[in-house]
Amino acid sequence: MQIQTPYYLIDERKLLKNMKKIEYVRKHSGAKSVLALKCFSTWSVFPLMSKYMDGTTSSSLFEAKLGYEKFGKETHAFSVAYSKDDIQALKKISDKVIFNSVSQLNMFYKDVKNIKLGLRVNPGVSYSHFDLADPARKYSRLGEFDVKKVLSALDKISGVMFHYNCENSDFESFSKMLDLIAKKYEKVLQKVDWVSLGGGLYFTKEGYPLDKFCNKLKEFSAKYGVQVYLEPGESAITQTCELVTSVLDIVHNGKDIAIVDASTEAHMLDLLIYKTPAKIAEKLGKNEYIIAGRSCLAGDVFGTYKLAAKLKVGSKIRFVDAAGYTMVKKNWFNGVKMPAIVVKRLNGKTEIVRQFEYKDFEKNLS
Ligand SMILES: *Cc1c(COP(=O)(O)O)cnc(C)c1O
């Protein structure tokens, strides 16, 4: 099938590989995994994912609602700060409500006391390549720091959440930090029923020591008598999606610059935020091109690549790893045509699950 570019292409067979690893971790460690919707909310593939994962976790009411409606199983609610209205709506659909602070827990306790409640704790240690994404950065507002305050909340909560990793593929660092946390919060861990270790662990990556990881989780769970949860976002969907584009023009200014029918700012925003080049699927060689987007932003550049093929108008460029923190952030900047969403199903059939048109752009504002 010839599909018009641009489009995001999610491959369910690739997704299944990650899901099998998540299933393996559950089987060998007992840890449940809930999908972090802030990373990936493309619900057309939730029927597949929900066979292998235990539910969803969220950063807002709308995400929690989406998880409840489209994914099912356990719905964990989290928000850096809930409003009163959020709480009224969430208490009808959530299996767990996790608070970011003791003050919010106290503020809403009487409304939600019949649901399992949790508190996010900021352990003061973290793993992140970027200050912007470092949950334990200086003056961080993410989670309660003070051990005494956490202890004072124990009569209201049944669990705690520590989210302190970001793209951590280093098992040893995870393991050491978990030991530190266990020591610092021992009294807390002895009293709660469940502990979420958050997301940011790249355990589906090729070569990750899965068995060591499982043993570590199992040990932790047994020692404190807790159900462990993981909240994978990126590691659930890594390497499963491409953004497929076509070259619209090639211009020259010191270098050859190929302009494609997509935009970093509109369709892969994190490249700009974290100043990282896009990864591409094309064969490398000796023809150098800057590959750039079609928005009017001067820095709308995917990267510079030496390609095997000479590009011409109509050549396809596929950007890989286009699932996490991409589709959830796409926007209508410049009114650039929005990539369709295409899913390659397990049976090999390709399905266009969503196409966008002028009306969607118009309806985005009023
Ligand atoms: C972002 C986030 C996740 C998911 O992180 P990934 O790096 O995508 O795995 C999980 N839990 C919380 C609390 C988060 O903020």
Side-chain angles (χ1 to χ4, degrees), residues 36 38-39 57 78 120 161 163 165-167 198-201 231-235 325:
K38 81 160 192 276
C39 171
T57 188
F78 171 74
R120 178 169 179 169
M161 186 258 277
H163 172 69
N165 288 283
C166 182
E167 301 203 354
L201 298 167
E231 302 179 353
E234 189 64 46
S235 58
Y325 302 98

Side-chain angles (χ1 to χ4, degrees), residues 7 15 78 118 143 159 168 176 214 226-227 235 237 260 292 294 296 304 308:
Y7 58 92
L15 192 56
F78 171 74
N168 187 354
K176 271 192 205 129
C214 291
V226 291
Q227 170 65 52
S235 58
I237 47 73
V260 296
R294 70 191 298 200
C296 63
T304 303

Side-chain angles (χ1 to χ4, degrees), residues 37 46 56 62-72 75:
L37 292 172
F46 284 1
T56 54
F62 284 0
E63 279 190 358
K65 216 170 147 157
L66 190 81
Y68 178 75
E69 287 178 4
K70 301 283 191 191
F71 200 104
T75 302

